[in-house]
Amino acid sequence: AWVNSLSMGMVFFCSPIVSIFTDLFGCRKVAVIGAAVGFAGLLSSSFVSTIEPLYFTYGILFACGCSFAYQPSLVILGHYFKKRLGLVNGIVTAGSSLFTVSLPFLLRVLIDSVGLYNTLRVLCILLFVLFLAGFTYKPLVSNTKDKEGGKKGKFRFPPEKKICNFSVFKVLSYRIWAFGIPAALFGYFVPYVHLMKHVKDRFGDSVPEEVLLLCLGITSGVGRLIFGRVADYIPGAKKVYLQVASFFFIGLMSMMIPLCHAFGSLIAVCLFMGLFDGCFICIMAPIAFELVGAQDVSQAIGFLLGLMSIPMTVGPPIAGLLYDHLGTYDVAFYLAGVPPIVGGVILCFIPWVHERQKLKERAKPVDGETTEKMLENERTLVSDTTEKSVKEMESGF
C-alpha cells in the first residue's frame, strides 16, 4: 500500500519540476526521457525479490518517469488545436479510461498465468510504446529562447525568473483555480480508494465489486468525450462552470454511497460519479490555456498538479483512520462529499474575476495606441515642416 501511495504521490509531486524541464528542453525530449526512465523503473521492479527496493524502483523511479511522460502530452495539444481543444483533450484522456476498464481483467489473467514479475515485464511493452510516441511531439509554437539566443539550436541557460515562472500566480483567476481545486480534492479520491472495502463490509463476497470499477471507467471515458466537446462551445473562462458542476455532483454522489443499501443503487451512483469525473479531468488543460495563455501553460499545469499531490495523499489515509476508529466508512464518505462542494463554490468566482482582468488588460493597450498615434502625428508634422522648408530653399535657389 505504501509503495502504491508513494508512486501516486510522486507522479503529481514531480509535476512542477516537469513543467520547468518542458519549458527548457521542449515536450519531445521530456516525454521520451520520461518514458525511458519509467521503462527502466518498471523493468528493474520485475527483478526485485523484497519490498524495500520497490520503494525506489516502483515508488520513485517508475513514478517520476510516468510524470515526465504524462505532462507533455497535455501541453503539446495546445500547439496543434485551438477551437476544439476540449474535444481533443477528451479523446486523449479517454484512453486512460479505456485502460482502467481493461487492465484489471488483463492483469488478473497475466498474474494467474505468468506471475507478478513476468506481468511487470509485459507491462514494459506499454512503456516502450509511450517511448516511441514521444518522438511525435513536435511543438508548433515559436521558440522565443532560440530567437533571443541568436543561433538556432544553441542552448543558453535562461534566467531564474524564466526557469521558475511564478508569474502565473500573479494572475488572480489562476490563483483561485490553483488553490480551489486542491481544496476540493481532499475528499475527491476517498471513494476511489475505499469503495471496494466498503462493498465487502456491507455486501460481503456475494457481489462482483469489479463491476463498480467497470462502471466508473466506462462512464468516465464517455464523460471525457461528451464534456470535452461541450467545453468547446463555452467561451473563455466560463469553462470552469463545468468543473463546478462536476465537483457538486461528485460530492453529492460520495454522500449518497452510505445510503445505498442495494448493490444496484451503488452501481447508479458509480455511473454518475464516473461521468462527472471525466468532466473534471478532460477540461483541466483547456482551462489552463484560457487563464494563463499558451506560453505559460506548461508551468501552470505543473504547479496545479503539484498542489494536487497534497490532498490526494492526505485525504484517503484520513478516511482510513476514521474507519479504524468507527468501524464503518459511512462518516468518511459523508465528510468526503464536503470538500468537493466547497471547492466548487470557490471556483464559481473565477469567470467573474477573469473578465475583470481582461477588461483591465484591454484598457492598457488602448492607452498605448493613443500615445503611438500621438507620436505618429508629431512625426508627420515634423516631416511636413521639413519638406516645406526644403521646398522653400529650393525655390530660393
Side-chain angles (χ1 to χ4, degrees), residues 98-305:
L98 177 64
F99 280 88
T100 299
V101 173
S102 58
L103 268 182
F105 300 99
L106 177 63
L107 290 175
R108 178 169 292 182
V109 172
L110 285 173
I111 291 173
D112 292 339
S113 57
V114 299
L116 174 63
Y117 299 124
N118 287 323
T119 298
L120 293 176
R121 290 162 197 159
V122 171
L123 291 177
C124 287
I125 298 172
L126 298 178
L127 268 296
F128 185 71
V129 173
L130 199 62
F131 173 79
L132 296 177
F135 286 100
T136 64
Y137 294 0
K138 184 180 179 182
L140 297 182
V141 175
S142 60
N143 194 351
T144 55
K145 296 183 184 70
D146 289 339
K147 293 179 181 178
E148 292 173 0
K151 294 182 179 179
K152 192 174 181 181
K154 187 177 180 182
F155 177 75
R156 289 189 178 183
F157 210 75
E160 293 182 2
K161 290 183 179 179
K162 289 188 178 181
I163 295 174
C164 294
N165 188 12
F166 291 109
S167 62
V168 293
F169 286 100
K170 293 180 180 179
V171 181
L172 180 58
S173 56
Y174 172 78
R175 206 155 63 233
I176 297 171
W177 191 57
F179 289 102
I181 287 182
L185 293 181
F186 274 101
Y188 188 94
F189 286 96
V190 170
Y192 294 93
V193 175
H194 297 287
L195 183 60
M196 297 299 103
K197 184 69 169 61
H198 170 73
V199 171
K200 284 187 177 181
D201 289 347
R202 175 160 292 187
F203 301 102
D205 296 327
S206 59
V207 295
E209 64 268 13
E210 293 88 358
V211 173
L212 299 179
L213 292 176
L214 191 67
C215 293
L216 286 169
I218 292 174
T219 53
S220 180
V222 173
R224 295 174 199 201
L225 294 173
I226 293 174
F227 289 106
R229 188 70 184 103
V230 170
D232 293 332
Y233 293 105
I234 300 176
K238 291 182 180 179
K239 294 180 177 67
V240 174
Y241 288 131
L242 287 177
Q243 280 191 332
V244 172
S246 66
F247 281 141
F248 274 116
F249 276 98
I250 287 172
L252 183 62
M253 292 300 106
S254 179
M255 292 180 175
M256 290 183 67
I257 289 174
L259 302 176
C260 296
H261 296 284
F263 189 68
S265 59
L266 201 57
I267 289 175
V269 167
C270 289
L271 289 172
F272 278 102
M273 187 176 290
L275 188 69
F276 287 99
D277 171 76
C279 173
F280 161 67
I281 291 172
C282 74
I283 59 173
M284 282 181 62
I287 291 173
F289 274 96
E290 293 289 345
L291 297 182
V292 300
Q295 294 296 329
D296 298 326
V297 72
S298 176
Q299 296 208 27
I301 295 174
F303 287 132
L304 176 66
L305 295 178

Side-chain angles (χ1 to χ4, degrees), residues 67-93:
S67 182
F68 273 74
Y70 168 67
Q71 193 171 323
S73 69
L74 297 179
V75 177
I76 195 66
L77 298 177
H79 292 252
Y80 285 85
F81 302 94
K82 293 291 183 288
K83 282 186 177 181
R84 298 184 177 178
L85 184 60
L87 176 62
V88 171
N89 273 274
I91 294 172
V92 170
T93 55

